[in-house]
Amino acid sequence: MSKHVTVAVTGGAGQICYSLLPRLASGETFGADTMVTLKLLEITPALGALEGVAMELNDCAFPNLKEIVMTDDPNVAFDGANWALLVGSKPRGKGMLRGDLIKENGPIFVGQGKALQKGASDIRVAVVGNPANTNCLIAMNNAPDIPNERFSALTRLDQNRAYSQLAEKSGEPITNISNVTIWGNHSATQYPDIENAKINGKPVMDVIQDEEWLRGEFITTVQKRGAAIIAARGKSSATSAANATIDHVMSFEAKTEGDNWFSAAVCSKGDYGITEGLIFSFPLRSDGNGGYEVVQGLEFSDFAKEKVAATEEELNSEREIVKDLL
Ligand code: NAX
């Protein structure tokens, strides 16, 4: 195998990583011709559990897995990494407000941003741990030497949930759905936009002639899917979150084909009038060489404008909460 990639993953002993790590190591994500070194970061009390995860990964005997490094030191984890998948963060406790969660997790991403800056010269960073957009904002601002374009936060799970809902409602296979956009925050204010989306190349609104569902239940189902999974399973999404993380990485790695796009939260340069510097989910196309562009010229109805403004306002208020960490 001629190629090699080093992937740092935080929260290695957690439930998302239990589904994520095998798919990074198997050759599925980076290609059958690429060897993978995994550098797994955990908090000290979880290093024992992490050992067990590593034992299982080794027992898979993946030909692509070169080495597993386990550490509780972000400087070791990020040194020489090509991708950093920041999954680990503290879960939201019972009765905890979103603002408290933001303050609780913020300092983790200050430290990790600084360690990224020190150790990683050729890096892409994807933040999964919640609140993902604002954690990403903190990490990015604490790593000023790394170009902002290399930071992203995950809204791919929301996109995948939207695809699944549209496929079920229309009776069409997933492969016939395209051009769905998640705008804004990975939270209940996100706006899953089907006004520009297509089923079999036709506008979604022409195929699913049920505006009440499209503007109501569809949007709230996607926005609140995470809570529905917790209610049903007693635990938050893990396999689907891991799957979305793989999709996210692969979309940035490969050239976006055809006229489709994918959604991810990236640093706003003011496209669509969104406040500059926010980590905001946009429709993106990747050039396959590490670069991407925001898809331009999409039209918004007044309904959509209102929804996009609401999620932007939430991200602005989250930025205000963490301003001392930026
Ligand atoms: P778990 O609680 O199972 O695992 C988290 C792991 O992170 C734990 O093993 C913990 O020890 C570790 N950790 C905590 N602080 C750390 C630090 N400073 N450095 C390294 N590791 C640290 O959570 P899991 O279900 O795996 O979820 C992880 C994160 O993903 C949570 O914040 C969760 O809210 C978030 N999610 C994000 C999603 C997204 O689409 N962006 C969807 C799924 C999920 O809700």
Side-chain angles (χ1 to χ4, degrees):
M1 285 178 217
S2 52
K3 296 193 237 163
H4 177 250
V5 65
T6 299
V7 189
V9 189
T10 73
Q15 54 152 3
I16 292 177
C17 282
Y18 198 69
S19 289
L20 175 66
L21 298 175
R23 296 181 63 186
L24 294 172
S26 69
E28 174 188 351
T29 309
F30 296 99
D33 59 347
T34 304
M35 293 299 286
V36 180
T37 294
L38 289 177
K39 301 186 89 177
L40 308 180
L41 180 71
E42 258 298 350
I43 52 173
T44 315
L47 285 175
L50 188 61
E51 282 281 349
V53 174
M55 284 158 76
E56 284 210 65
L57 286 169
N58 285 326
D59 292 350
C60 290
F62 290 124
N64 291 69
L65 181 56
K66 181 166 185 244
E67 190 188 358
I68 303 173
V69 176
M70 285 170 275
T71 179
D72 56 3
D73 180 351
N75 295 301
V76 173
F78 299 143
D79 187 37
N82 306 111
W83 270 97
L85 308 179
L86 308 186
V87 181
S89 63
K90 289 186 198 161
R92 190 159 165 172
K94 218 174 176 188
M96 199 187 232
L97 299 174
R98 190 172 169 87
D100 295 334
L101 180 74
I102 291 168
K103 278 196 216 136
E104 187 80 20
N105 276 310
I108 296 176
F109 292 85
V110 172
Q112 292 186 356
K114 292 192 160 89
L116 284 163
Q117 157 113 331
K118 255 195 262 168
S121 55
D122 174 26
I123 183 103
R124 320 212 94 65
V125 183
V127 180
V128 178
N130 279 322
N133 298 50
T134 294
N135 289 340
C136 182
L137 181 78
I138 297 169
M140 181 182 82
N141 278 280
N142 282 280
D145 293 348
I146 299 176
N148 288 352
E149 297 76 48
R150 287 167 175 248
F151 286 84
S152 62
L154 201 75
T155 52
R156 188 51 169 267
L157 180 52
D158 309 302
Q159 177 188 310
N160 288 348
R161 287 166 172 165
Y163 268 62
S164 161
Q165 291 298 312
L166 294 172
E168 191 182 327
K169 181 79 174 174
S170 64
E172 294 281 341
I174 293 279
T175 44
N176 287 354
I177 318 283
S178 65
N179 305 88
V180 176
T181 308
I182 304 297
W183 296 92
N185 203 0
H186 170 68
S187 77
T189 67
Q190 65 172 279
Y191 174 51
D193 167 18
I194 50 80
E195 289 180 11
N196 295 289
K198 294 176 191 152
I199 298 178
N200 255 328
K202 295 187 205 122
V204 167
M205 294 230 180
D206 291 355
V207 179
I208 300 176
Q209 294 181 348
D210 183 348
E211 201 172 326
E212 196 184 325
W213 182 83
L214 286 169
R215 294 222 152 143
E217 197 184 326
F218 163 71
I219 294 177
T220 52
T221 300
V222 175
Q223 287 173 333
K224 295 181 182 162
R225 188 69 160 184
I229 286 165
I230 294 174
R233 210 172 83 87
K235 289 180 186 167
S236 55
S237 338
T239 295
S240 56
N243 178 66
T245 308
I246 302 284
D247 286 347
H248 178 103
V249 170
M250 289 175 77
S251 286
F252 277 101
E253 288 275 317
K255 187 174 187 310
T256 310
E257 297 296 344
D259 66 355
N260 204 359
W261 57 73
F262 63 97
S263 295
V266 294
C267 183
S268 169
K269 290 183 174 165
D271 292 296
Y272 295 95
I274 300 302
T275 314
E276 274 182 51
L278 284 186
I279 300 292
F280 196 91
S281 184
F282 287 105
L284 304 178
R285 287 177 60 82
S286 165
D287 65 11
N289 289 313
Y292 65 81
E293 58 179 24
V294 174
V295 175
Q296 300 295 321
L298 300 184
E299 303 278 336
F300 290 104
S301 65
D302 288 344
F303 175 84
K305 277 185 199 151
E306 218 174 89
K307 298 280 180 201
V308 171
T311 195
E312 182 187 14
E313 194 182 315
E314 183 182 52
L315 281 167
N316 271 315
S317 69
E318 289 187 13
R319 180 159 79 168
E320 189 57 27
I321 295 171
V322 300
K323 64 174 188 290
D324 296 343
L325 305 178
L326 303 180

